Amino acid sequence: MMSAGKVLVLHGPNLNLLGTRQPEIYGYETLEDINNGLYEKAAVNGWDIECRQSNHEGELIDAIHAARQDGTVAIIINPAAYTHTSVAILDALNTFEGKVIEVHLSNVHKRESFRHHSYVSLRADGVIAGLGSQGYHAALDALIKTAE
């Protein structure tokens, strides 16, 4: 069982455009809306949370490396397009000893065939897809529940 602690939420490329980018697929909530909801849920449950977004693969990898050293107990990651291409993110996640939950706003299995493969899933303890922003909340709820 995991104790309450710090969770790192990583948002990959183009997620900074949420709310305006293809809302028919990704919804109308902004990244700030999603993060604010996660900060609130974490605080109510006595958890620390850090939310970061980057369009740069190396910055995401650096954040994963830092999480190995700073007391982070879990990573919730939406690698976005890097899901399907980044062995480097997979390798970084493989060095992290805590829980990893992969989140996708859309149901990637209903989309183009190249989106059906995820390198990150090879490391993830759980995968949530197709629930929109509620997928992030479901991931945090799962972490909180397993810590009880």
Side-chain angles (χ1 to χ4, degrees):
M1 192 175 330
M2 182 175 48
S3 63
K6 182 178 177 184
V7 176
L8 174 63
V9 179
L10 290 177
H11 306 283
N14 300 308
L15 293 174
N16 55 304
L17 300 177
L18 286 177
T20 59
R21 173 186 172 227
Q22 296 175 285
E24 68 281 2
I25 295 174
Y26 301 109
Y28 289 93
E29 276 186 287
T30 66
L31 190 60
E32 183 179 11
D33 294 335
I34 293 169
N35 288 343
N36 286 340
L38 293 171
Y39 286 126
E40 185 176 314
K41 181 183 295 261
V44 165
N45 287 282
W47 287 64
D48 293 323
I49 195 164
E50 177 185 0
C51 298
R52 297 179 62 175
Q53 186 277 331
S54 181
N55 294 318
H56 305 282
E57 185 178 34
E59 288 183 17
L60 297 169
I61 292 166
D62 288 344
I64 295 165
H65 289 179
R68 297 177 66 226
Q69 309 292 323
D70 68 5
T72 297
V73 298
I75 296 173
I76 298 170
I77 183 169
N78 181 345
Y82 289 136
T83 303
H84 324 291
T85 63
S86 184
V87 174
I89 289 176
L90 170 62
D91 287 349
L93 288 169
N94 280 333
T95 71
F96 179 74
E97 294 182 7
K99 292 273 189 189
V100 174
I101 301 179
E102 178 181 357
V103 172
H104 297 284
L105 295 165
S106 67
N107 181 350
V108 293
H109 302 288
K110 287 178 69 175
R111 299 185 62 197
E112 304 93 336
S113 62
F114 72 87
R115 295 186 193 276
H116 299 176
H117 179 266
S118 168
Y119 284 103
V120 172
S121 291
L122 296 171
R123 168 56 182 93
D125 297 294
V127 179
I128 301 168
L131 298 180
S133 65
Q134 289 307 304
Y136 289 101
H137 291 275
L140 186 55
D141 286 339
L143 293 171
I144 292 166
K145 188 69 173 166
T146 58
E148 292 177 350

